[in-house]
Amino acid sequence: GLPLAERLERRIVDGERNGLEADLDEAMTERSPLDIINDTLLSGMKTVGELFGSGQMQLPFVLQSAEVMKTAVAHLEPHMDKDDSGGKGRIVLATVKGDVHDIGKNLVDIILTNNGYDVVNIGIKQPINAILDAAGEHDADVIGMSGLLVKSTVIMKENLEEMNSRGVAQTWPVVLGGAALNRAYVEDDLADIFEGEVSYARDAFEGLRLMDSIMT
Ligand code: B1M
């Protein structure tokens, strides 16, 4: 058979979950859960994206791969190093209106939670109203928005404009992430129109670094 790491990556691409947990347990004897996610599972998801984008994979199979990815992350999560005492700061996290992609957002949740932040994860397809309501209700320090569709980058811009017009741009620094964004769009274009602080996180770890710098 294939070496373990390749086998795990194949499981994501093929959406094959039989024996997944056993392979993950074996992988954890050699590598940390986060390394397994970053070096192996995410590269499987990347392949899925490429196959789907080039028409070689149909949507139901993408969904299966996403389910296997989620199962794998759920299996690894309890084994991660954590300081989940909370108290370092609170972030409201959402996938924006019209967008269902949540694997990345949920990884950000895990990384921040495991590093002492309180995360209020309000889920997918969240309109700006719901995001701002949650931020107010939970007395958040930061708002985090995720989105993977090109359409979502436009929604994010509208959300920031809405925060401007409601006069709450200064209330919550905003962190944005997701595959359709890029640094220049956020740090040049969006930062230009937003009356508060907006930053771009390329991955969950940059999200953590941004939280650390905002909260100190
Ligand atoms: Co969809 N999808 N999808 N999809 N999907 C993409 C995004 C796409 C690029 C695939 C492609 O064509 N190559 C494409 C978008 C194209 C575009 O907009 N131009 C696409 C499409 C077209 C669609 C549909 C429209 C397909 C259809 O219905 N015809 C549809 C959209 C539905 C909707 O949202 N309304 C759709 C649906 C789906 C599934 C439901 C099948 C499934 C999602 C399941 C789920 O999430 N529960 C799915 C998947 C799995 C993907 C791909 C293959 C993988 C996404 C993923 O989970 N990656 C994706 C391909 C790609 O991204 N290139 C694709 C792994 C994840 C860990 O990465 O989310 O980027 P990511 O998160 C990273 C960073 O971006 C960052 O940290 C994470 C860890 O490093 N990050 C943050 C993310 N959010 C952050 C927030 C932060 C900080 C960092 O702070 C707030």
Side-chain angles (χ1 to χ4, degrees), residues 151-170:
K151 193 174 79 176
S152 300
T153 65
V154 179
I155 301 284
M156 287 174 179
K157 178 162 184 270
E158 291 169 5
N159 288 352
L160 296 178
E161 284 165 342
E162 181 67 20
M163 288 178 73
N164 284 342
S165 64
R166 293 201 199 177
V168 296
Q170 309 274 342

Side-chain angles (χ1 to χ4, degrees), residues 60-97:
F61 297 96
V62 179
L63 191 56
Q64 266 183 43
S65 294
E67 290 304 323
V68 173
M69 179 72 194
K70 287 189 170 200
T71 305
V73 171
H75 187 76
L76 294 170
E77 201 273 335
H79 303 279
M80 290 178 188
D81 295 332
K82 30 177 119 24
D83 157 24
D84 52 5
S85 50
K88 285 215 280 184
R90 183 169 300 128
I91 181 169
V92 162
L93 204 55
T95 300
V96 299
K97 185 175 80 177

Side-chain angles (χ1 to χ4, degrees), residues 94-103 105 123-127 145-156 177-181:
T95 300
V96 299
K97 185 175 80 177
D99 195 324
V100 303
H101 297 88
D102 66 354
I103 294 175
K105 168 181 66 64
I124 60 172
K125 296 202 274 184
Q126 293 296 318
M145 299 181 210
S146 179
L148 266 70
L149 302 171
V150 169
K151 193 174 79 176
S152 300
T153 65
V154 179
I155 301 284
M156 287 174 179
L181 291 169

